[in-house]
Amino acid sequence: MPRAGLAPASVIEAGAALADEVGFDKLSMGLLAERLGVRTPSLYKHVDGLADLAHGIAVLAMIEFGDAVRDATQGRAGSDALVAAAKAMRAYVREHPGRYAATTGARATGEDDPLIAAAARSLASLAAVLHGYGLDPAQEIHALRMLRSVLHGFITLEIEGGFQMNTDIDESFDWLVGFVDQGLKAITR
């Protein structure tokens, strides 16, 4: 019988919190069991193993990320929406680096996988930002990939300590977002 208080959702949430704390690459079933005060085999009543746990964390993170961007950009358009989305993404990744890392490379396991809806929700939040620029529909997917890649690259380099130069990182981030904004405006003229 599963331990009272533990359920798949609570195990995934605890795994997500632990991944944020120790790093996604250091997450293990043993470490999670220790954190939850259970023996490792007890976790297998709630998740099928580390891959299933990681998948659940990715779903959770995509939902949370999509909601954070959506909430930050509500009622905004164009440059204002882009700035708000970029700041929301940066704040989310800084606060939840382990969860966010779980999203990189996560793949759906079938047509009914909740990852599909979570990923769509996440991408829809970023796509909504781009609608304010009036892009040609043929360019929207390219712009979405560009936006996601640029922000992901900067933010992951930042949280991994990749910026060593003695220049304010916030200024560089603002410059980057301004550059993207100007580029998006330029292709719609």
Side-chain angles (χ1 to χ4, degrees):
M1 173 174 276
R3 180 178 171 207
L6 286 185
S10 63
V11 169
I12 289 168
E13 180 62 44
L18 185 58
D20 288 339
E21 185 181 320
V22 303
F24 181 68
D25 59 332
K26 293 181 179 61
L27 181 64
S28 71
M29 295 295 280
L31 195 55
L32 180 58
E34 183 180 313
R35 173 63 54 92
L36 292 171
V38 299
R39 297 182 63 200
T40 303
S42 299
L43 293 179
Y44 290 89
K45 297 173 184 163
H46 308 287
V47 293
D48 291 334
L50 189 57
D52 188 40
L53 175 65
H55 193 76
I57 294 170
V59 171
L60 174 66
M62 285 185 188
I63 291 169
E64 291 174 343
F65 169 78
D67 290 353
V69 171
R70 179 203 62 212
D71 294 349
T73 59
Q74 198 100 35
R76 299 174 190 263
S79 300
D80 291 339
L82 176 63
V83 169
K87 287 181 178 181
M89 181 174 179
R90 189 177 184 208
Y92 182 82
V93 177
R94 284 172 151 182
E95 186 175 341
H96 302 295
R99 294 171 207 234
Y100 182 76
T103 67
T104 304
R107 300 280 184 259
T109 58
E111 291 180 14
D112 60 342
D113 189 328
L115 185 68
I116 295 169
R121 184 176 184 163
S122 177
L123 290 175
S125 294
L126 287 176
V129 169
L130 297 173
H131 290 300
Y133 286 93
L135 297 171
D136 180 313
Q139 295 179 328
E140 287 177 0
I141 190 69
H142 305 304
L144 181 59
R145 286 177 175 164
M146 176 276 305
L147 178 61
R148 189 170 163 231
S149 298
V150 166
L151 294 175
H152 169 83
F154 187 100
I155 296 165
T156 54
L157 281 169
E158 177 186 14
I159 65 170
E160 293 172 3
F163 296 130
Q164 302 292 318
M165 292 178 179
N166 192 19
T167 301
D168 186 89
I169 294 173
D170 292 334
E171 285 182 33
S172 293
F173 187 75
D174 292 344
W175 188 92
L176 173 95
V177 174
F179 187 83
V180 169
D181 177 54
Q182 291 304 311
L184 288 168
K185 287 176 180 173
I187 64 170
T188 59
R189 287 187 189 137

